[in-house]
Amino acid sequence: MAALANLIGHARAAGYILTQRLVGAVRARDECLAALGARPGDRILDVGCGPAYYLAALPECEYFGFDTNSAQIQAARARFGDRAKFFDEPFTAEHQRALGPFDKVLLLGILHHLDDASSRSLLDLVAGCLKPGGVVVALDTPLYEGQSSFSRFLAKNDRGDFVRYAEAYVQLASQSFEQVESRLLGDTLSMPWSFIMMVMKTPRAQAAA
């Protein structure tokens, strides 16, 4: 039974990665990794890591991945369990206290699955475990003025229940971080899905200290 469960988990993860390639999300995540600027030895937190297929592109680091999709965590452990730690559970304040602080944080494709209150809570949580000079990079599905009709259709039919206008993501992030830079990606033939990438620095709690 365990072997069958592992096989199913791998198949689901492979299907997820294929879908990510088709909509251009793999390229968008490459942009996020470039913005993250990970260096050897960094402590990296990844909330919503899925199968963590992009871990192979990161330098040797202390990587901690969290996701509530058991099948994808199984696939991540099978591929990267020798160089990373994976948790089949939400990232909580208890984890923040036990594992932090971190140099870099990834929030790829998670905020559009959370309502405003839950998004604020998560952003405050990761801000609280960020080392001085650290960075948080987020990637989500947005709506925005001038968006193509096809991209807007994809966004409105995303699995996330809280797809927002780009400005709303920035407003949320700005409540937890002093510096928030955003950039729209995609809405092209090679990357039909649209994304907003946010790079967040200087948690407000640190700035006030």
Side-chain angles (χ1 to χ4, degrees):
M1 290 297 293
L4 178 60
N6 286 335
L7 182 63
I8 293 173
H10 290 318
R12 288 176 177 171
Y16 170 80
I17 295 171
L18 176 60
T19 301
Q20 295 285 289
R21 292 190 183 282
L22 291 174
V23 301
V26 170
R27 291 177 58 196
R29 279 167 168 75
D30 288 342
E31 295 277 355
C32 291
L33 295 186
L36 192 71
R39 296 171 296 185
D42 275 350
R43 303 191 80 245
I44 298 176
L45 171 66
D46 189 353
V47 182
C49 65
Y53 59 85
Y54 41 83
L55 180 54
L58 291 173
E60 288 297 324
C61 58
E62 291 186 69
Y63 174 98
F64 300 80
F66 285 79
D67 205 291
T68 56
N69 187 312
S70 298
Q72 294 193 6
I73 285 292
Q74 275 186 348
R77 283 175 176 156
R79 184 177 179 187
F80 298 114
D82 60 338
R83 60 168 292 190
K85 294 181 180 179
F86 295 98
F87 300 80
D88 183 9
E89 55 194 285
F91 181 71
T92 65
E94 287 73 22
H95 294 117
Q96 180 203 49
R97 289 189 290 269
L99 300 177
F102 292 93
D103 299 284
K104 310 285 169 58
V105 178
L106 288 168
L107 302 175
L108 304 184
I110 188 168
L111 295 180
H112 69 283
H113 290 282
L114 304 176
D115 61 24
D116 285 0
S118 297
S119 294
R120 276 293 315 280
S121 178
L122 177 59
L123 288 166
D124 284 345
L125 200 58
V126 299
C129 66
L130 196 65
K131 291 182 181 180
V135 61
V136 178
V137 177
L139 185 74
D140 281 285
T141 302
L143 297 167
Y144 53 90
E145 296 299 326
Q147 188 173 18
S148 72
S149 57
F150 183 57
S151 174
R152 183 171 289 260
F153 170 81
L154 292 175
K156 289 190 172 181
N157 286 275
D158 189 283
R159 290 183 298 112
D161 293 328
F162 300 96
V163 173
R164 304 168 173 86
Y165 275 88
E167 296 83 355
Y169 287 110
V170 175
Q171 289 172 1
L172 274 172
S174 296
Q175 294 179 66
S176 301
F177 294 87
E178 289 277 342
Q179 300 178 54
V180 180
E181 299 176 5
S182 66
R183 182 154 65 97
L184 292 173
L185 307 171
D187 202 356
T188 64
L189 288 176
S190 60
M191 192 189 295
W193 210 284
S194 290
F195 304 92
I196 179 172
M197 179 177 72
M198 294 189 295
V199 179
M200 295 163 265
K201 301 177 182 178
T202 316
R204 291 194 176 276
Q206 287 182 12

